[in-house]
Amino acid sequence: MVKTADKSTWKANYFLKLTQLLDEYPKCFIVGADNVGSKQMQEIRIALRGQAVVLMGKNTMMRKAIRGHLEKNADIERLLPHIKMNVGFVFTNEELIHVRDMLLANKVKAPAKAGALAPLNVTVPAQNTGMGPEKTSFFQALSIPTKITKGTIEIINDVELITAGERVGMSEATLLNMLKISPFTYGLVVQKVYDSGSVFDPEILDITDDDLKAKFMAGVANVAAMCLAMSYPTIASVPHSVANGMKNLLAVAAVTDITFKEAEMVKEFLADPSKFASAAPAAAAAAAPAAAAAKAPEPEEEEEEDDDMGFGLFD
């Protein structure tokens, strides 16, 4: 009875803590905790102290606590579909990008374990392994080209040993451990971001103001092009319509007697085509003195005089 009471009390305290965190913090991360040990989790909590709160637990308990709190905050229902597998919460009031970077920085290297899913490709570099020739058959079984150099096995070429997403085999794990290679890094992985009722992917955090501006201007350009094609004036297309109208007016004025201030220069150039050619030489003439001044005159070489002072070589 005592154990049952203690378990019930622990569950009640967990539900209370989770609901308090949901009320206190409008932002949180849903993080995956695969292959994260207790020591590493403690280090992460210490690193985030004062800036974020990490809360792990069973998925059923987290779902139950959220469902029981929907009356006070209906937006948190959007978290339910993402509570699956080995996940937890990281609550914060700080900038999401800052906390995300802190989570990504807290990773530790780990050796490859047989049966584990590889999170990335693993390539064994060409190297001298320091192992004796008796291990040659082990490398041959893995199709790794080797040669014997000074009584030790040397891997000739880089070899892609493990592909991301595949399970690590016993032979591959043994080889990496023999070579003292720890290819994987593990830590809390941000899977989803919750901010004031919205749930989105963590990649959204990397979008900058310049990216938004570029997307917006691309949309404005598309709207302007469509409106010009439809002859439907909008704020986006009016500047282009005015510019195109001015070009048409100048074209009409150029071939008729109609004139206005903006067309006078066009008519002047058309009346005297030599002005087109005179503009370029004028610019070139202005640049010539500057170029001449910049180019310093080369000093003249003085001719050496062989003066024998009136004496011959054999005098």
Side-chain angles (χ1 to χ4, degrees), residues 39-297:
K39 182 180 179 182
Q40 185 182 0
M41 184 64 72
Q42 183 181 7
E43 293 175 352
I44 293 174
R45 293 179 190 273
I46 294 173
L48 296 176
R49 187 171 295 166
Q51 302 184 70
V53 178
V54 180
L55 181 66
M56 308 299 294
K58 293 183 178 180
N59 293 351
T60 53
M61 294 180 62
M62 289 189 286
R63 292 194 195 100
K64 185 176 180 180
I66 291 174
R67 289 193 182 100
H69 200 62
L70 291 178
E71 294 182 359
K72 294 185 178 180
N73 186 358
D75 292 335
I76 60 176
E77 186 177 6
R78 297 185 177 93
L79 294 171
L80 293 175
H82 308 292
I83 301 176
K84 53 187 177 181
M85 306 301 289
N86 186 18
V87 298
F89 292 105
V90 178
F91 296 92
T92 183
N93 280 325
E94 303 293 330
E95 289 291 334
L96 290 171
I97 297 178
H98 173 66
V99 178
R100 188 274 310 269
D101 292 341
M102 293 183 67
L103 290 173
L104 295 179
N106 282 276
K107 291 188 176 183
V108 296
K109 289 187 176 181
K113 295 181 180 180
L117 286 174
L120 46 80
N121 295 330
V122 178
T123 301
V124 177
Q127 60 180 301
N128 191 312
T129 64
M131 302 178 190
E134 68 276 3
K135 299 288 186 180
T136 302
S137 59
F138 184 81
F139 288 90
Q140 290 176 348
L142 293 172
S143 301
I144 299 177
T146 60
K147 67 178 182 179
I148 304 301
T149 304
K150 296 181 179 180
T152 58
I153 298 175
E154 180 180 348
I155 300 175
I156 301 174
N157 302 317
D158 294 349
V159 179
E160 186 172 332
L161 190 64
I162 302 173
T163 304
E166 296 182 355
R167 294 196 177 275
V168 180
M170 180 63 72
S171 300
E172 290 82 355
T174 303
L175 175 61
L176 291 172
N177 290 331
M178 290 167 59
L179 296 175
K180 298 180 180 180
I181 297 176
S182 297
F184 303 144
T185 56
Y186 295 117
L188 295 181
V189 179
V190 179
Q191 297 181 354
K192 293 292 178 180
V193 183
Y194 174 84
D195 187 1
S196 303
S198 300
V199 178
F200 50 89
D201 294 328
E203 290 78 12
I204 302 298
L205 298 176
D206 296 323
I207 297 177
T208 63
D209 292 342
D210 292 336
D211 296 332
L212 294 175
K213 182 179 179 181
K215 289 290 185 181
F216 178 77
M217 295 308 297
V220 171
N222 291 336
V223 171
M226 182 178 296
C227 293
L228 288 173
M230 298 169 56
S231 299
Y232 185 83
T234 61
I235 295 177
S237 66
V238 163
H240 301 281
S241 299
V242 171
N244 291 337
M246 177 57 70
K247 292 177 183 177
N248 293 335
L249 292 175
L250 292 174
V252 172
V255 296
T256 62
D257 294 334
I258 300 174
T259 185
F260 50 91
K261 181 179 179 181
E262 289 76 8
E264 290 178 356
M265 183 175 293
V266 176
K267 287 180 173 291
E268 183 179 354
F269 276 103
L270 291 177
D272 188 3
S274 62
K275 290 186 177 181
F276 286 101
S278 63
K295 185 177 180 181

